[in-house]
Amino acid sequence: MIKTVSVHKEQKLTPEQKKELKEAINRPDVEDEDCPELSPEMIKAFECLIRQNKRRKA
């Protein structure tokens, strides 16, 4: 399940939100049919896109 919450810079997290964030960080990644594990080729393609985006922003 995906849970999305918008937080502004000046807004403080509630204790419950802090707890949920810590739990989410420690959860393992789970691959399934909708989100399979990336192949080495796909990882390489994503890394290439990240480098291109960083160059455009500079």
Side-chain angles (χ1 to χ4, degrees):
M1 179 175 95
I2 296 175
K3 184 175 182 179
T4 304
V5 177
S6 296
V7 179
H8 302 284
K9 287 183 181 181
E10 59 276 351
Q11 183 180 355
K12 302 285 185 192
L13 293 176
T14 65
E16 182 181 337
Q17 289 173 323
K18 289 180 183 180
K19 180 183 172 198
E20 288 178 1
L21 185 58
K22 287 180 182 178
E23 289 173 358
I25 289 170
N26 294 322
R27 276 190 214 125
D29 295 332
V30 178
E31 291 85 18
D32 61 15
E33 60 205 32
D34 292 331
C35 185
E37 185 173 0
L38 295 177
S39 67
E41 295 83 16
M42 288 298 296
I43 292 172
K44 193 173 183 179
F46 277 120
E47 289 171 345
C48 181
L49 287 171
I50 291 168
R51 284 192 299 273
Q52 288 176 358
N53 284 338
K54 283 183 179 179
R55 277 189 233 130
R56 286 186 198 147
K57 289 181 181 179

